[in-house]
Amino acid sequence: MPWKKLPSCIILFLALAYPVQSKLSGQKDSFQEDLLISPLKDGKLLAHFQFTTLVDAGGLDGKDGRYAHYGLFPKSIGQIIDHHRVQELHLTFTQGRWQYEDWGYPVAQSAGTGVELWAWMKSDDSIESNWRSLTNTLSGLFCASLNFIDDTLTSQPELSFRPEGAKNSYNHNEKMREGTEVRYGILPHENVCTENLTPWIKLLPCKSKAGIATLLNAHKLYDTNYHSMAIHIRPVCQDANCTSQSLELVQTVTSVLDPVRESGRRDWSFSSLFGREIQSACPVSDRSTVTLLLPPDEHEYQLTPSYDTITERTAQLERPMAVYNLSQHTEPLNLQMKWNEDQFSYPLQTSKPRVYAHKYMTGYGHERGGVTVNIFNNMNESQDISYFDSVPWFLKLYLHTLEVSVLGKVNIQQNGKFRAMSVCLDKLNKASNLGYLDIVQDLYYQPAVDRSRPQVLEMKLRLPPDSVTAVSIEFDKVFLKYTEHRPDANRGFDVGPAVITTLLPAGDDNMASTVLELVANRQVSSLTLDTHTRQNTKVYTEILLASLPTPDFSMPYNVITLTCTVIALFFGSIFNLLIREFKVTEDEVEEKKHDEKGDTPDSS
Amino acid sequence: MRLPTFLRRLFLFLSSLALLAFLTPAANADGPKDAEVVQEFFSNGSGHTNNWAVLVCTSRFWFNYRHIANTLSMYRTVKRLGIPDSNIILMLGDDVACNPRNKFPATVFNNAARLLDLYGENVEVDYRGYEVTVENFIRMLTGRVAADTPRSKRLLSDDRSNILVYMTGHGGNEFLKFQDAEEISAFDLADAFRQMWEKRRYNEMLFMIDTCQANTMYSKIMSPNILATGSSELGESSYSVTKPILQHHPDWDIGVAVIDSYTYYNLEFLENIDMSSTKSLKDLFDSYDAEKIKSTPGIRSDLFRRPLDQVRVTDFFGSVQRVELTPTRYNLTAAENASSESYLLEK
């Protein structure tokens, strides 16, 4: 009978269909999610979310080599980078300032306050229109005003912002990045809010429904001391010889939370920090982990629930590292840490990081001023750094006023004395036994063109050991046309941060990034760096607010009113003087006659 | 005589074929009759097939919190009633949710009781901060945007779109102030709407404005199919809900007024509407109480061709499509007289 053969038919059909289906949907892409939590020295808590999607080179390619097949890799991003011929893209939304002296170095590459966008794009004739179109498209995608990054804010760094991907000039030869150019733009005043987070979360495979991304609660995230949301796209090598490449999309959220502000104690849990728990791992993720950097003394705290694995202290890792593997957990995870102390007391002395910097404005008045950057080198050996600063066109820098001087030791209070030695640029070539003359190794300067491009100052500096180096330059403030002022003109204009790029080995202040590399090393090979080698670290300074001479916007109206009044009075008076004459009218004469006669006057 | 089995089956087969052929309507019915039926479908009711919402808050600074809250309340309403983010253009002159002065980060409230967070988890602001300018607004309305403008910032409406345009901020006699730096006049607005009509960028439009002396803002509009409503007459100011009443009081934690009266009472009506509601705009306008709102709201319906009691609230505030199931198929071809609906402008 036919119906008895039915089950076997069904089984045969399914068996044939399944491999076909898996071949169609079997993209060679992978997704990992990690959460790193690290208590910081001053009682705050670092929470770093990292979501990595890797897709094999060619895995996205359709015909004509354009991207066509999307699995876990988000289509909106793939179309953007394909259409605009972008090789590497880094977009960061930051609010707050990363305090290097209190918190060490951030886990992922941090950025200055505001929105920072830099990209390596194929250099052909259409690179300018591609860059403009890229900023506009990203502004629509992330609901930010990135379209304001136009020619007046775009710069091309020569020494800093080298490619970080497979074509990283620190690890591979530079000829691999031929044919591409870099573009950098920053909006220091840009606000970051839920409308930026919403599209960012929608790029994740599990969105905010499952996995670690469920913890991203806007109400808690935007209540933190520092938060930074980033998206990084770069090509990476699968092995040491770079025979096969992948395209990597890394989405990170770095935040510094403050439990002490609420309760006076350092205790925290997922529900107190984020208002939520992790229900489950993202089903499509290969790795879903929560990593916790534990304090060195295990009697100081209690941790519930207990960790899955722990890595004890090693030469590379100064603190034990506890890992929770979410794919093995069946219940929701609500991590809790309780400290065995009554109240948190701030440490009086903290160790400073190895290289950090501060930027500030000097001078007074609305006509001229100056900018100084103090770069601190806390190590016992000299350190090579790249210094990058892009100053908008309305602050006209004068290169002849550039001064690079060494102010003294980092811990000045130990010395008790203040020793300053000034070295001007034109004395660099003179040999001297001072030993500080070769601070500036290289200098690139791009002067500004009014309303057209900013000025760019880039230097390669060799910082002396244990020193504070001051880079200062003076500028004139431009008197803008009254239509060029913003609606809130009296606030002033923002100037972006200076960026210091340096190679630093892993260390005590750089532990978090070491941890992430270790976690990543175990499972997936990406562009991994041996923890003994140096890592490319970027240090950002503060952003500045420049107060330009602001006109009184009510004056045009006042002037018009006043002038018109004066003209009317003047014209009226002269006209009257010239034309007016006084005549006695007949009515008055008749009135007098009638009065004399005694008759009542006519009322006509 | 019994037919052989084979012949019997053949006869049945052929007769069923004939029956089917008879019953199935021809693919091409009468051309003109089709057009009439389709025309009737589009002319019953509003005739719109998609909805757009343009929500504009023109004010900057923390003390104008209530204008942002007004706009976000309308945003929430139109989203709840079905208009997707891709069809909403939201312009906010300033960011109050993540403003350092906001005691409740990433939230915007429109009520002192703080029952409802208007910002929520899923909000898409298309124009924000310094991008909210008169030029951007008019370019967006008329479609004359720069080539690089992303899709979310374009008003991609067609001649079958019903558009809700809601504006709020500080205004005066025939002008509306944008961010304390520039203003849009009633003439500019009327010209922009006229351009939209010339380009057939809307089917019907509801223009709502909540500012001081708002009713003067729509006095110069001359394009057909526009219904306008404003919060206050010439010489009147619009008030925010700060006077202590039984239900609510000023929000001392936020420190500023959180909503304007006109929008507040509109929302009171709209919160009781869902996508299946058949309430009309006449019901909405009848619910306006000048004493409660503390100013005289105005309605201008002389340019609108349909009577207000036949216009559903969801025709503008929601995205409710008219669906008719038919037993026959119709071919849609271009009409012979393409501009069959020509309106004579009387002014």
Side-chain angles (χ1 to χ4, degrees), chain A residues 294-487:
Chain A
L294 299 169
D297 183 7
E298 62 180 17
H299 301 296
E300 285 178 336
Y301 63 91
Q302 285 147 28
L303 192 60
T304 47
S306 182
Y307 39 76
D308 295 335
T309 59
I310 185 162
T311 309
E312 293 297 336
R313 266 183 279 187
T314 60
Q316 301 165 354
L317 198 61
E318 303 239 347
R319 286 152 63 183
M321 180 174 94
V323 177
Y324 294 78
N325 204 335
L326 286 174
S327 22
Q328 294 165 3
H329 283 237
T330 45
E331 302 135 5
L333 177 68
N334 184 14
L335 203 52
Q336 253 187 349
M337 185 183 239
K338 279 196 171 48
W339 291 80
N340 297 333
E341 59 187 11
D342 292 328
Q343 195 156 19
F344 173 64
S345 54
Y346 284 93
L348 293 172
Q349 288 233 330
T350 53
S351 59
K352 303 275 185 201
R354 285 161 283 172
V355 174
Y356 57 100
H358 288 295
K359 184 181 184 188
Y360 52 91
M361 279 210 180
T362 57
Y364 56 89
H366 283 162
E367 214 181 322
R368 59 183 75 91
V371 166
T372 303
V373 179
N374 285 349
I375 310 172
F376 297 75
N377 179 14
N378 210 358
M379 297 188 288
N380 286 332
E381 50 184 16
S382 57
Q383 181 72 11
D384 284 341
I385 62 159
S386 289
Y387 169 86
F388 169 83
D389 202 356
S390 171
V391 179
W393 64 270
F394 45 77
L395 298 177
K396 291 183 164 320
L397 298 181
Y398 288 103
L399 190 59
H400 74 277
T401 56
L402 176 68
E403 257 191 36
V404 180
S405 48
V406 178
L407 296 180
K409 291 197 179 288
V410 175
N411 296 317
I412 294 179
Q413 54 269 33
Q414 288 180 355
N415 262 351
K417 282 187 198 170
F418 188 95
R419 224 170 52 157
M421 276 175 258
S422 283
V423 174
C424 290
L425 267 180
D426 55 2
K427 293 180 190 165
L428 277 180
N429 292 328
K430 291 186 190 167
S432 164
N433 53 2
L434 286 174
Y436 291 98
L437 285 178
D438 49 353
I439 294 176
V440 180
Q441 308 272 303
D442 213 350
L443 173 69
Y444 287 92
Y445 179 69
Q446 175 190 285
V449 174
D450 274 2
R451 300 171 181 85
S452 181
R453 73 173 190 206
Q455 45 232 328
V456 178
L457 178 62
E458 278 198 88
M459 288 189 284
K460 253 203 192 117
L461 300 174
R462 176 161 291 164
L463 302 176
D466 192 22
S467 65
V468 182
T469 310
V471 176
S472 62
I473 192 165
E474 288 173 26
F475 55 76
D476 272 356
K477 295 184 185 179
V478 164
F479 191 80
L480 292 175
K481 298 180 190 171
Y482 84 100
T483 49
E484 289 172 340
H485 284 273
R486 291 179 180 163

Side-chain angles (χ1 to χ4, degrees), chain A residues 61 148 165 171 200 229 233 286 306 314-316 343 407 416 430 444 480 499 507 539 560 583 598:
Chain A
D61 287 347
F148 286 139
N171 282 341
W200 187 96
M229 172 184 97
I233 300 160
D286 291 342
S306 182
T314 60
Q316 301 165 354
Q343 195 156 19
L407 296 180
K430 291 186 190 167
Y444 287 92
L480 292 175
V499 184
V539 174
I560 293 171
K583 278 188 191 171

Side-chain angles (χ1 to χ4, degrees), chain A residues 274-293:
Chain A
F274 306 109
R276 296 170 188 173
E277 306 170 349
I278 304 181
Q279 299 293 326
S280 63
C282 178
V284 294
S285 63
D286 291 342
R287 178 183 84 231
S288 183
T289 60
V290 175
T291 310
L292 184 52
L293 268 181

